[in-house]
C-alpha cells in the first residue's frame, strides 16, 4: 500500500515537471550514429545513455574515412552542462575496433563550470589515429558529470581507417582536416610546420634512435585505470598495458586487470591498506633491465606511504611491488637507479622545525635478490632553511655522484637554485653550488656521461615567461657555472612551462636529450630532441600529453 502510494506520488511529481528533455553530449565530427540535432541546448538527440554507444546500433556503412597514423580533430558538443561543484566530471574520447571492448583513450577533458545548465559548448581535441587499418572502428565520446542522478552520456561514430601508404608524400604530411575551423589549432599547426621546415628533410620519425623509446602512464578519470603507453615522436600515444591502480591521488576502482593488492604479495600478514594504491607522479627511474621503477602510495591519505613498484617496459606489465622494510616514514622526493650496485638511491626532506629541513640520501636494496626491499639511510645533512624545493635528481654513474637540484623557497619568481652533490663512495655531501639564474632558469638537470656535464633546456627568466625563447644550457657540476650552448627555439612557439622533463632524458649513446614542450597556441605538446654534441634540434609532431605522467626514455634490449 505504502509503496504504491510513493510510486504514485513520484509519478505525479515527474508529470508535473515542465516537459523538457535534458540533453547533454553530441558527437559532431566524425558525425555520431543516428540522428543529430544541436540546434538548441536540450536536444533529445544528445541524451543517450548506456555503454558503449548510448543504445545506438551501427549502420551498415560506408563510413567516413580516416588515415592511419594521422592527426584529426574530433569535435563534440556538450549540449547541457552538469558541472558538479566539489566533484567535477569530465568527457573523454576513445577508439576501438567494432565489436571489441578494448578502448584506446584518445583524449579527455575536464568539465567547465559555466553556472548555467542550459549551455552549449563545442570541444575539440587533436588526436592521433592509431597506425592500423580498420574497416569498421568506433569512436566513442562520453560525458560523466558526477552529478547525482545523471548517468554517463554516450555517443559513437563509425569510421574506417585506411592505410597511410595510399597517400602521396605531400598529403601524408600531418594536417588538420578541414573539419576544424579553430583558429588556435590552425595557428599552432602553421607554426609547427614552420619549425619542421627549419629541420633538414623533416619526415615524421617515430624516434631518432631505433633503440630508444618513450614510455609513460596515461590516466583517464573515466576509466579509473592507468595505462602503460608508448609515446612516439610522430605523435602517437599507444596503450599497451593496463593496471588497476590509480595515479597521484586519483584512485582506481577498476578490478578488471587483475592487479592483486600488492600488500599481500610479500607480506600476507600486513593490515589491509586504507585505500587502493596509486602511482606517484613525477618520481620514476629506469634500471639496467630497462624496467621503470616508481613509488606506489598504498596507505591512508594522510600518511606518507611508499612501496617499490617495477614495470616491464617491453611487455607493458607490472612485475614487482614490494613493501619497503625499515621505511622511515618520510616521502621520497626522488629515486634513481644506481648501476654500481643495481639498487636505488632515494632523496627525502625531513623536518627539523626550528632550523629548516635535513636532506637525507637513502638506499633501497634487496638481500640476496629477494623482496621486500630494505631502506637504509646513507647521508644526512642540514638543516637547510631556504633551499627546500626539491626539483630533480640525477646520477653520475661512473663517478658515483648524485646531483640534486633544489630551489629557494623564497624566490618563486627569480628561481634561485642550488645543486647539492653527494659523493656515494664516501657517503658525504661533497659540494653545494649556487647556480647563476640571472639569465636562465630551469627545474631539471640531466647528466651526460661522455661530457661529464649536466644539461637542461631553459625558457630564460621568469620575467620573459610571456614569450620565452628556449636555450640548451650546460651546467658545470664542479663550479655550478651555467653556460648557454645554443638557442633551440625562438620566442612565440612554446610556453614557459617547466614540467617537460623526461626521466633518464638523455640517450647516453648519442647524446640526444628528449624534452616535452607546451605549444603556445593550443593545449598540446611537441617533443623536442636536442643532439647535444652536434647542437642539432628536431621537433616531433603535435601530440597531447596532458594525461601522460612519468614519461621516461627507455632502451630496447635486443
Ligand atoms: C539494435 O540491434 C539489436 C539486435 O540486433 C536490436 O534488438 C535493437 O532493437 C536495435 N536497436 C536499435 C535502437 O535499433
Ligand atoms: C558547434 O559546431 C557546429 C558545427 O561546426 C556549429 O554549427 C555550432 O554553431 C557550434 N556551436 C557552438 C556553441 O559553438
Ligand atoms: C589536451 O588534453 C587536455 C586534457 O587531458 C584537454 O583539456 C585539452 O583540450 C587537450 N587539447 C587538445 C588540443 O586536444
Ligand atoms: C613503441 O613505438 C616504437 C616506435 O614507433 C615501436 O618501434 C615499438 O614497437 C612500440 N612499442 C610498443 C610496445 O608499442
Ligand atoms: C641499436 O642497438 C644495436 C644492438 O645493440 C646496435 O648494434 C646499434 O648500433 C644500435 N643503434 C643505435 C643507433 O644506437
Ligand atoms: C635539528 O637540527 C639541529 C641543528 O643542526 C640539531 O642539533 C638537531 O639534532 C636536529 N634535530 C633533529 C630531530 O634532527
Ligand atoms: C645576462 O645577460 C646580460 C644581457 O645579455 C649580460 O650582460 C650578462 O652578462 C648575462 N649574465 C650572465 C651571468 O651571463
Ligand atoms: C633529426 O631527424 C633526423 C631524421 O629526420 C635524424 O637523422 C636525426 O638523428 C634527428 N636528430 C635529433 C636530434 O633528433
Amino acid at each position: 500500500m505504502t509503496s504504491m502510494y510513493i510510486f504514485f506520488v513520484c509519478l505525479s511529481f515527474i508529470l508535473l515537471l515542465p516537459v523538457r528533455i535534458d540533453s547533454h553530449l553530441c558527437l559532431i565530427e566524425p558525425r555520431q550514429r543516428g540522428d543529430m540535432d544541436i540546434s538548441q541546448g536540450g536536444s533529445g538527440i544528445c541524451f543517450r545513455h548506456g555503454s558503449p554507444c548510448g543504445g545506438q546500433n551501427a549502420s551498415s556503412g560506408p563510413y567516413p574515412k580516416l588515415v592511419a597514423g594521422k592527426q584529426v580533430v574530433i569535435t563534440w558538443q556538450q549540449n547541457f552542462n552538469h558541472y558538479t561543484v566539489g566533484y567535477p566530471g569530465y568527457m573523454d574520447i576513445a577508439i576501438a575496433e567494432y565489436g571489441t571492448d578494448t578502448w584506446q583513450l584518445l583524449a579527455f577533458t575536464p568539465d567547465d563550470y559555466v553556472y548555467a545548465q542550459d549551455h552549449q559548448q563545442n570541444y575539440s581535441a587533436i588526436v592521433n589515429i592509431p597506425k592500423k587499418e580498420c574497416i569498421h572502428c568506433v569512436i566513442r565520446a562520453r560525458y560523466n558529470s558526477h552529478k547525482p542522478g545523471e548517468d554517463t552520456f554516450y555517443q559513437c561514430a563509425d569510421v574506417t581507417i585506411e592505410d597511410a601508404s595510399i597517400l602521396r608524400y605531400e598529403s601524408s604530411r600531418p594536417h588538420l582536416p578541414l573539419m576544424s575551423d579553430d583558429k588556435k589549432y590552425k595557428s599552432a599547426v602553421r607554426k609547427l610546420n614552420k619549425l619542421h621546415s627549419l629541420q633538414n628533410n623533416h619526415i615524421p620519425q617515430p624516434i631518432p634512435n631505433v633503440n630508444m623509446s618513450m614510455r609513460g602512464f596515461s590516466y583517464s578519470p573515466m576509466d579509473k585505470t592507468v595505462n602503460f603507453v608508448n609515446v612516439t615522436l610522430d605523435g602517437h600515444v599507444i596503450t599497451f598495458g593496463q593496471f588497476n591502480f590509480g595515479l597521484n591521488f586519483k584512485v582506481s576502482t577498476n578490478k578488471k586487470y587483475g592487479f592483486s593488492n600488492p600488500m599481500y604479495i610479500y607480506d600476507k600478514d600486513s593490515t589491509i591498506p586504507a585505500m587502493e594504491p596509486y602511482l606517484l607522479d613525477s618520481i620514476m627511474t629506469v634500471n639496467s633491465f630497462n624496467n621503470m621503477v616508481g613509488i606506489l602510495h598504498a596507505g591512508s591519505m594522510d600518511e606518507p606511504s611508499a612501496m617499490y613498484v617495477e614495470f616491464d617496459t617491453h611487455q607493458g606489465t607490472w612485475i614487482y611491488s614490494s613493501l619497503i622494510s625499515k621505511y622511515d616514514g618520510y616521502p621520497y622526493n626522488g629515486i634513481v637507479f644506481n648501476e654500481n650496485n643495481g639498487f636505488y638511491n632515494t632523496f627525502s626532506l625531513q623536518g627539523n622545525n626550528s632550523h629548516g629541513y635535513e636532506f637525507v640520501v637513502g638506499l633501497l636494496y634487496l638481500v640476496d635478490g629477494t623482496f621486500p626491499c630494505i631502506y637504509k639511510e646513507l647521508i644526512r645533512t642540514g638543516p637547510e632553511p631556504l633551499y627546500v624545493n626539491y626539483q630533480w635528481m640525477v646520477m653520475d654513474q661512473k663517478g658515483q655522484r648524485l646531483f640534486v637540484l633544489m630551489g629557494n623557497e623564497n624566490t618563486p619568481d627569480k628561481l634561485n637554485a642550488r645543486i647539492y652533490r653527494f659523493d656515494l663512495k664516501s657517503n658525504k655531501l661533497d659540494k653545494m653550488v649556487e647556480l647563476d639564474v640571472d639569465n636562465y632558469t630551469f627545474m631539471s638537470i640531466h647528466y651526460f656521461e661522455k661530457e661529464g656535464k649536466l644539461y637542461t633546456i631553459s625558457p630564460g627568466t621568469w620575467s620573459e615567461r610571456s614569450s620565452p625563447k628556449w636555450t640548451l644550457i650546460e651546467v658545470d657540476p664542479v663550479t655550478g657555472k651555467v653556460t648557454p650552448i645554443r638557442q633551440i627555439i625562438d620566442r612565440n612557439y612554446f610556453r614557459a612551462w617547466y614540467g617537460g622533463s623526461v626521466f633518464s632524458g638523455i640517450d647516453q649513446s648519442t647524446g640526444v636529450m628528449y624534452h616535452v614542450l607546451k605549444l603556445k597556441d593550443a593545449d598540446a605538446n611537441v617533443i623536442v630532441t636536442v643532439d647535444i654534441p652536434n647542437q642539432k634540434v628536431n621537433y616531433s609532431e603535435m601530440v597531447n600529453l596532458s594525461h601522460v605522467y612519468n614519461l621516461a626514455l627507455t632502451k630496447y634490449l635486443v
Side-chain angles (χ1 to χ4, degrees):
M1 188 64 188
T2 318
S3 58
M4 271 303 280
Y5 175 72
I6 290 171
F7 175 74
F8 178 74
V9 168
C10 291
L11 190 65
S12 327
F13 179 70
I14 288 165
L15 292 176
L16 286 174
L17 278 175
V19 179
R20 191 202 61 202
I21 307 160
D22 284 355
S23 35
H24 310 271
L25 178 86
C26 264
L27 182 54
I28 301 173
E29 196 66 64
R31 194 180 177 281
Q32 69 190 31
R33 286 181 186 174
D35 295 337
M36 168 67 124
D37 175 17
I38 48 168
S39 57
Q40 55 182 328
S43 146
I45 303 293
C46 304
F47 183 85
R48 287 177 180 160
H49 288 306
S51 173
C53 291
Q56 293 292 307
N57 292 339
S59 69
S60 53
Y63 307 123
K65 287 176 182 164
L66 301 173
V67 182
K70 294 297 159 206
Q71 286 184 343
V72 294
V73 173
I74 293 185
T75 310
W76 67 97
Q77 182 173 102
Q78 188 183 73
N79 187 254
F80 217 72
N81 181 275
H82 284 309
Y83 185 90
T84 307
V85 177
Y87 190 32
Y90 27 70
M91 291 157 279
D92 78 355
I93 306 288
I95 192 165
E97 207 166 320
Y98 177 70
T100 70
D101 194 26
T102 46
W103 296 96
Q104 181 174 331
L105 178 68
L106 296 176
F108 88 91
T109 189
D111 204 356
D112 253 1
Y113 195 17
V114 296
Y115 297 88
Q117 282 204 87
D118 191 352
H119 172 85
Q120 291 168 271
Q121 184 171 337
N122 287 354
Y123 286 85
S124 34
I126 299 173
V127 306
N128 294 282
I129 296 302
K131 276 191 245 175
K132 205 175 151 215
E133 277 181 283
C134 177
I135 292 166
H136 187 182
C137 269
V138 180
I139 290 180
R140 180 192 67 187
R142 299 186 292 185
Y143 175 23
N144 178 0
S145 67
H146 278 163
K147 190 173 178 179
E150 296 291 351
D151 291 339
T152 300
F153 303 96
Y154 293 87
Q155 298 288 357
C156 288
D158 300 290
V159 295
T160 293
I161 299 177
E162 290 190 328
D163 191 330
S165 63
I166 60 166
L167 294 177
R168 284 178 302 121
Y169 173 69
E170 303 89 84
S171 55
S172 76
R173 287 296 304 264
H175 63 287
L176 286 179
L178 300 172
M179 49 176 116
S180 174
D181 278 335
D182 192 308
K183 285 205 181 68
K184 283 194 304 184
Y185 299 151
K186 281 189 169 165
S187 159
V189 166
R190 241 193 337 266
K191 285 185 185 176
L192 189 57
N193 284 343
K194 191 168 160 211
L195 284 180
H196 285 152
S197 71
L198 300 175
Q199 221 170 290
N200 280 340
N201 305 321
H202 171 73
I203 302 165
Q205 300 281 352
I207 218 97
N209 177 351
V210 290
N211 295 342
M212 305 302 291
S213 176
M214 291 172 91
R215 300 293 157 95
F217 297 86
S218 81
Y219 182 83
S220 162
M222 193 83 81
D223 291 320
K224 303 212 182 332
T225 299
V226 171
N227 300 315
F228 211 8
V229 295
N230 189 6
V231 175
T232 62
L233 300 183
D234 53 0
H236 289 264
V237 179
I238 306 151
T239 297
F240 69 112
Q242 276 179 318
F243 312 106
N244 75 349
F245 48 77
L247 212 150
N248 220 30
F249 278 98
K250 298 157 184 164
V251 173
S252 163
T253 55
N254 195 323
K255 297 283 175 284
K256 203 166 120 193
Y257 298 97
F259 180 87
S260 55
N261 189 327
M263 278 294 201
Y264 295 118
I265 295 172
Y266 296 105
D267 185 358
K268 289 208 160 46
D269 301 326
S270 72
T271 52
I272 299 167
M275 55 182 283
E276 292 293 321
Y278 60 86
L279 184 69
L280 290 170
D281 182 18
S282 299
I283 169 165
M284 196 99 246
T285 189
V286 181
N287 68 19
S288 56
F289 298 107
N290 208 32
N291 291 336
M292 280 163 72
V293 170
I295 298 293
L296 275 181
H297 178 107
S300 86
M301 278 286 194
D302 297 325
E303 258 177 296
S305 138
M307 286 181 70
Y308 170 99
V309 63
E310 182 167 347
F311 303 94
D312 183 319
T313 56
H314 306 281
Q315 307 295 321
T317 51
W318 159 84
I319 326 177
Y320 301 114
S321 69
S322 165
L323 287 171
I324 293 167
S325 173
K326 307 203 173 137
Y327 176 52
D328 66 1
Y330 288 92
Y332 302 131
N333 297 124
I335 179 171
V336 67
F337 178 66
N338 189 331
E339 280 174 14
N340 209 35
N341 49 26
F343 299 135
Y344 303 87
N345 289 105
T346 60
F347 181 84
S348 53
L349 291 177
Q350 307 202 355
N352 186 325
N353 296 336
S354 52
H355 301 88
Y357 289 88
E358 294 184 339
F359 294 174
V360 177
V361 174
L363 177 72
L364 283 181
Y365 68 103
L366 304 180
V367 175
D368 299 330
T370 329
F371 285 98
C373 52
I374 304 173
Y375 175 73
K376 184 178 159 196
E377 179 176 320
L378 295 180
I379 308 172
R380 180 178 286 262
T381 67
E384 162 57 46
L386 280 179
Y387 284 75
V388 295
N389 277 338
Y390 170 84
Q391 282 162 359
W392 203 260
M393 144 163 135
V394 281
M395 176 86 109
D396 160 12
Q397 300 286 356
K398 261 198 224 104
Q400 284 294 294
R401 294 176 304 176
L402 193 67
F403 299 98
V404 183
L405 180 65
M406 298 297 295
N408 184 320
E409 177 64 17
N410 291 349
T411 60
D413 294 348
K414 197 165 184 318
L415 295 169
N416 284 344
R418 279 179 184 168
I419 289 178
Y420 285 79
R421 198 174 77 188
F422 297 95
D423 180 347
L424 295 174
K425 288 182 191 147
S426 58
N427 283 339
K428 277 204 307 251
L429 171 65
D430 182 27
K431 200 166 167 101
M432 184 270 291
V433 290
E434 187 80 27
L435 300 174
D436 179 348
V437 293
D438 274 0
N439 293 342
Y440 301 101
T441 58
F442 46 91
M443 294 195 188
S444 65
I445 43 174
H446 296 285
Y447 190 76
F448 181 26
E449 286 158 16
K450 266 188 203 149
E451 307 266 348
K453 295 263 167 63
L454 296 162
Y455 292 90
T456 189
I457 64 171
S458 162
T461 60
W462 184 250
S463 60
E464 296 169 284
R465 69 187 178 282
S466 62
S467 188
K469 60 177 197 291
W470 288 83
T471 308
L472 173 64
I473 299 294
E474 179 186 286
V475 182
D476 188 306
V478 180
T479 62
K481 186 162 182 275
V482 171
T483 313
I485 301 290
R486 179 199 192 281
Q487 185 183 320
I488 290 172
I489 187 156
D490 210 347
R491 300 187 192 279
N492 283 319
Y493 290 94
F494 297 106
R495 298 178 212 184
W497 179 58
Y498 290 95
S501 205
V502 173
F503 290 97
S504 303
I506 291 184
D507 172 355
Q508 298 292 347
S509 66
T510 59
V512 173
M513 179 163 71
Y514 292 62
H515 192 96
V516 179
L517 295 169
K518 241 185 201 168
L519 284 162
K520 201 166 188 173
D521 299 311
D523 190 3
N525 304 96
V526 165
I527 301 159
V528 62
T529 47
V530 185
D531 180 332
I532 296 169
N534 300 307
Q535 298 181 26
K536 292 241 164 62
V537 183
N538 286 353
Y539 312 93
S540 77
E541 299 312 321
M542 198 185 296
V543 55
N544 193 345
L545 297 177
S546 309
H547 59 299
V548 176
Y549 302 78
N550 288 344
L551 205 55
L553 186 63
T554 65
K555 283 190 208 91
Y556 287 125
L557 298 181
V558 239

